Amino acid sequence: MRSGTVFTQGLRHGVGESPYWTVEAVRQVRYHVVSSEGLFDPGNTALLTGCPDAPMYPGDRRLVVMDQNVDALYGGDVRSYFTAHGIDATVVPLRADEAVKQWDAVARVVDAMNDFGIDRRREPVLAVGGGVLTDIVGFAASLYRRGTPYIRIPTTLIGLVDAGVGVKTGVNYERGKNRLGTYAPATATFLDRSFLRSLSLRHISNGLAEILKMALIRSEALFGLLESRGAAVRADRLQGTTEDLARAADAIIAEPIHLMLEELQPNLWESALERCVDYGHTFSPTLEMHALPALLHGEAVVIDMALTTALATLRGDVSEAQADRVYHVIQALGLPLWNEVLEDPALLDEALRDTVRHRDGQQRLPLPIGIGRHHFVNDVTPAELRDAARLLGERARGYAPWAGALVPEQVGA
């Protein structure tokens, strides 16, 4: 009998009329974020040796799932790279944009993994594309054989600074943004900003929205850099073609990644629901899904931030002068202040109710205090939201019309 057994490592055994067991265990998480430009240049070995937990050797196999737009531009370089280093790579092109970020896309990746006969211990899947692609592949990898390692190689700015550094995966379901998903860290994310040279300026702006988010809630210095150099760095597509632009681009990419990882690391599984990185993500999921395909993710996020800046102004936490600085930077970065979906108060009410549902019965809404600081509130009313939307609408009419919808989609959406 086990009545006298002493268990270790968190297993407790109660005895009596109704025996019970309580299991407590901790899973160690370790993943790497590695920066290397020209990742698929034949002489660059970062992809082979840069991650100690996923090295590649001659004779190895890899399944590479690649955004079909990225494949059109870089597929030849990617295939040549693996051939040059003796890696047997199978490349699977996949359409990956918000309109098809659904379960069917996950199933296609699972089918590819199954057909490949992947060795889940030794053959991590490589995901090469924007945030939508890496979300899809990460979700599929987390499900296949209850967890298969994967590596992210983001090719968009939003993938570099946001989707590529966290642990969440997911796809949309019905009208819900990322309603299906898992927490599944990639073994490594490789950041190569040379991919950004082929993006449209609209997609550069899309990523700058997530950088602006971190500035508004965590770093007045980063906001100042975006204010002074953001437009020029955007026009340069963060390639650093001059010494001054290189310094600015380095900081504009590295600082928000560091701030994001500082926030994520102690709360990877979101056990604490007051997360400042949720700024801009209270109303944007609902706005984005209702406005598809008119808005990209970052565009919806920045409209959320503009709305909550107006809300914070009405509450006295952001001055009118500070709000004007925020609106000017949003416009200078090629982002919208307004979308007609804000004219529907019922939509904002729905977004607020949905937020309360998935934040355990409270709003836990991060709002800015000035520029670079934040606090959390639980008392926003529908009437306040309508007033904030009216105020934002009045401010937006004073700015140049946003022409983002006229810019053609480019690689890595």
Side-chain angles (χ1 to χ4, degrees):
M1 303 297 291
R2 296 184 179 272
S3 58
T5 301
V6 176
F7 290 96
T8 60
Q9 298 185 13
L11 179 61
R12 299 195 300 275
H13 179 207
V15 295
E17 292 185 5
S18 301
Y20 69 89
W21 293 261
T22 301
V23 179
E24 295 181 17
V26 177
R27 178 187 175 188
Q28 181 178 358
V29 175
R30 168 170 138 150
Y31 65 96
H32 309 266
V33 180
V34 181
S35 181
S36 179
E37 290 193 42
L39 195 63
F40 289 105
D41 291 346
N44 188 337
T45 61
L47 193 57
L48 307 177
T49 61
C51 173
D53 297 332
M56 280 192 283
Y57 303 103
D60 284 352
R61 303 187 313 154
R62 287 296 183 270
L63 176 66
V64 182
V65 182
M66 191 182 310
D67 183 293
Q68 64 184 20
N69 294 323
V70 177
D71 187 35
L73 280 183
Y74 299 105
D77 294 338
V78 171
R79 289 169 176 84
S80 296
Y81 179 87
F82 286 117
T83 298
H85 291 283
I87 309 298
D88 182 10
T90 297
V91 178
V92 177
L94 186 74
R95 179 186 169 191
D97 55 64
E98 207 67 43
V100 296
K101 193 182 181 186
Q102 303 286 345
W103 174 256
D104 286 351
V106 178
R108 284 194 288 274
V109 177
V110 169
D111 288 343
M113 295 168 70
N114 201 54
D115 293 343
F116 186 80
I118 203 161
D119 183 335
R120 61 177 293 269
R121 300 286 183 183
R122 299 185 302 106
E123 295 176 337
V125 182
L126 273 65
V128 184
V132 171
L133 186 283
T134 57
D135 273 1
I136 291 169
V137 176
F139 189 24
S142 72
L143 298 177
Y144 189 74
R145 301 288 302 274
R146 300 184 180 86
T148 296
Y150 71 105
I151 290 172
R152 292 179 293 213
I153 303 173
T155 60
T156 60
L157 182 56
I158 202 167
L160 264 69
V161 301
D162 184 66
V165 299
V167 301
K168 293 197 288 190
T169 76
V171 295
N172 306 328
Y173 178 72
E174 298 291 343
R175 301 289 290 190
K177 172 77 173 173
N178 289 330
R179 194 58 56 87
L180 303 178
T182 57
Y183 296 96
T187 305
T189 297
F190 288 90
L191 309 180
D192 177 4
R193 74 179 194 225
S194 66
F195 282 114
L196 305 183
R197 67 170 63 103
S198 63
L199 290 184
S200 70
L201 288 177
R202 185 182 181 191
H203 279 284
I204 297 294
S205 297
N206 191 46
L208 286 168
E210 291 285 359
I211 295 173
L212 179 61
K213 173 190 78 175
M214 298 308 299
L216 290 177
I217 56 170
R218 282 292 310 270
S219 175
E220 188 174 6
L222 178 59
F223 179 85
L225 183 57
L226 290 171
E227 191 173 37
S228 63
R229 305 300 291 141
V233 167
R234 170 183 178 266
D236 194 48
R237 290 176 168 81
L238 293 98
Q239 296 305 295
T241 55
T242 69
E243 186 176 340
D244 175 60
L245 287 171
R247 283 195 302 269
D250 287 345
I252 284 173
I253 289 180
E255 184 63 10
I257 289 174
H258 184 82
L259 293 172
M260 176 76 82
L261 290 174
E262 270 190 347
E263 292 293 332
L264 295 180
Q265 191 271 337
N267 190 31
L268 280 177
W269 316 125
E270 299 184 10
S271 54
L273 293 176
E274 289 190 345
R275 304 170 67 248
C276 71
V277 294
D278 282 337
Y279 183 55
H281 292 71
T282 299
F283 306 103
S284 63
T286 301
L287 301 179
E288 182 179 353
M289 296 305 291
H290 279 77
L292 278 177
L295 291 178
L296 301 177
H297 175 70
E299 293 165 355
V301 167
V302 86
I303 290 171
D304 183 317
M305 293 192 292
L307 175 67
T308 48
T309 295
L311 177 61
T313 303
L314 292 174
R315 288 183 161 225
D317 292 326
V318 172
S319 71
E320 290 191 8
Q322 289 169 328
D324 279 334
R325 287 178 66 195
V326 172
Y327 300 146
H328 277 292
V329 170
I330 288 172
Q331 285 274 286
L333 297 180
L335 289 160
L337 285 172
W338 179 262
N339 185 276
E340 62 185 14
V341 294
L342 292 177
E343 296 172 359
D344 181 1
L347 200 62
L348 293 177
D349 293 350
E350 176 190 336
L352 191 59
R353 286 193 300 271
D354 190 59
T355 292
V356 170
R357 278 195 296 271
H358 77 257
R359 292 180 186 167
D360 198 24
Q362 296 187 57
Q363 293 176 358
R364 307 180 200 271
L365 202 162
L367 286 181
I369 301 175
I371 293 173
R373 297 184 298 130
H374 66 277
H375 66 154
F376 295 91
V377 302
N378 289 294
D379 60 348
V380 174
T381 66
E384 280 186 292
L385 285 178
R386 287 191 283 274
D387 289 342
R390 277 195 293 270
L391 175 59
L392 178 61
E394 292 169 1
R395 294 290 183 90
R397 282 193 289 274
Y399 291 85
W402 177 64
L406 304 179
V407 179
E409 297 283 338
Q410 295 278 329
V411 170

